[in-house]
Amino acid sequence: MTTPADAPRNDGRAADALRPVAVDWDPMGFALSSVLFAAGRTRVLCSVCLDPEVPRWRKGSGSGWLSAEYRLLPASTPSRQGRELMKLSGRTQEIQRLIGRSLRAALDLEALGERTLLVDCDVLQADAGTRTASITGAWIALAAALERLQHQGVLAASPLRQQVSAVSVGLVDGVALLDLDYSEDSRAEVDLNVVMDEQGRLLEIQGTAEGAPFSRSRLDALLDLAEPGLRDLQEAQRQALAVAPGTTTG
Ligand code: CDP
């Protein structure tokens, strides 16, 4: 496998370069917190709301919960997502479970108490990497939401235990690339979504080999490519939080 740092890509990026990240705060004023997170042309609206109760199956446990929803908005893809596609497809269920598990890994649910955090990730524009952008962006909104709940006196201490970011890596024409856009994702031989915490521990790996089984050493090389990207995304998350309105995190 070749991993030339300067492999030509459609947008001129090096093989190990992330797409430009942008974070806009609080586009949804009624949410506890919200961010519009962009990774290149992929743009996801991530919001966090509080339900003061837990689902029935968790009542009396003393612990809270976080659930996530994800969807591709109608005009987010070249061919409009019609009603049929917006139904809870297998893909949508898989993605929202991934987002929920990744964000719950960031939390001490006992410290949250019997409350539920509701995270919504609505994709405004999909150019691949929408599930990883959802996780990275929603973590930012989640951290701000928890800080606001502390400021409001709802929570005595923050239940946030970990920073979590996510990115895709893949093999395209035998070359390992970080943070695939759709032109790359749609022809990738191997496509991996990697979720990592701030200690470099892996929380989730989702991988697909499109008819091209890959070796353990290729997996290791792809994870080696993902890790610095995930660390850079965590730095971008911290920078976004440092300028979050109404919080002091920095
Ligand atoms: O977005 P992500 O890479 O997490 O998920 P995917 O299922 O691998 O989809 C890759 C890309 O395919 C999406 O980001 C969209 O650009 C496109 N796509 C689409 O146009 N319509 C769909 N129903 C699903 C995906």
Side-chain angles (χ1 to χ4, degrees), residues 19 42 70 72 76-81 85 89 91-92 94-95 98 123 125-134 168 180-183 185-186 191 193 206 208:
R19 291 179 282 187
T42 287
Y70 161 101
L72 291 169
S76 63
T77 50
S79 64
R80 183 179 181 278
Q81 302 290 312
L85 287 171
S89 66
R91 175 182 180 274
T92 301
E94 173 191 325
I95 293 177
L98 174 76
V123 179
Q125 188 166 276
D127 187 28
T130 60
R131 74 194 70 195
T132 52
S134 294
S168 74
L180 309 183
D181 68 16
Y182 185 71
S183 70
D185 178 285
S186 56
D191 181 12
N193 294 295
Q206 284 192 331
T208 311

Side-chain angles (χ1 to χ4, degrees), residues 149-150 153-158:
L149 287 172
Q150 261 188 280
V154 176
L155 293 174
S158 175

Side-chain angles (χ1 to χ4, degrees), residues 147-182:
E147 179 139 348
R148 288 170 187 179
L149 287 172
Q150 261 188 280
H151 284 184
Q152 292 168 11
V154 176
L155 293 174
S158 175
L160 196 65
R161 291 289 171 265
Q162 283 293 340
Q163 201 176 340
V164 171
S165 62
V167 80
S168 74
V169 280
L171 281 178
V172 181
D173 300 329
V175 178
L177 300 179
L178 177 68
D179 193 14
L180 309 183
D181 68 16
Y182 185 71

